[in-house]
Amino acid sequence: MNSDLPIPQGNYVPAKRHGSLIVTSGMTPRREGVLILTGNVSSATPLEDYREAVELACGNALNAANAQLRQGERIAAVLSLSVFIAADPDFTAHSKLADFASDYLRDRLGPQGVGARAAVGVATLPGNAPVEIQLIATV
């Protein structure tokens, strides 16, 4: 198994391909199966403090998508990016936090790495993760 691939935390696969579409499972900021950050995102904490977690979750999703590529293929575009944020009730900077994921994808894939996006606040996420990211890409 590729060590860059996220380790599923349940009965699912990291990504699934159908034709030229790749859909990833929701990815949390886990390195070798272990969360690097837990707890809700708070408005009292600088957004920058969450950048590493968001980028790791996004990187896990991109690695899962890349694992579905065949020889000579590449991700042509990210069509959709969903960023779920376990946020305290007073947190309102969802879009700014999700920008860390959009920037990460743009830096790695160019302009085609930025697609449609949803930034959604939720009460909890698996394992008490602060963020979970899911993407849909085309080959």
Side-chain angles (χ1 to χ4, degrees), residues 3 9 12 25 36 48 59 66 73 91 111:
S3 65
Q9 302 298 305
Y12 61 91
S25 295
I36 65 159
E48 191 64 33
N66 282 329
E73 290 182 329
F91 182 80

Side-chain angles (χ1 to χ4, degrees), residues 27-100:
M27 298 292 165
T28 53
R30 292 179 188 269
R31 188 172 287 122
E32 298 178 5
V34 178
L35 285 168
I36 65 159
L37 185 65
T38 59
N40 282 6
V41 174
S42 170
S43 60
T45 303
L47 281 180
E48 191 64 33
D49 288 4
Y50 299 108
R51 179 185 294 273
E52 181 183 8
V54 172
E55 289 180 347
L56 179 57
C58 194
N60 286 341
L62 186 57
N63 286 341
N66 282 329
Q68 298 297 308
L69 298 175
R70 298 179 188 118
Q71 178 101 20
E73 290 182 329
R74 64 176 179 77
I75 300 288
V78 171
L79 302 178
S80 177
L81 176 67
S82 297
V83 181
F84 301 95
I85 302 161
D88 285 345
D90 63 340
F91 182 80
T92 60
H94 300 75
S95 290
K96 290 181 189 222
L97 192 70
D99 281 345
F100 293 147

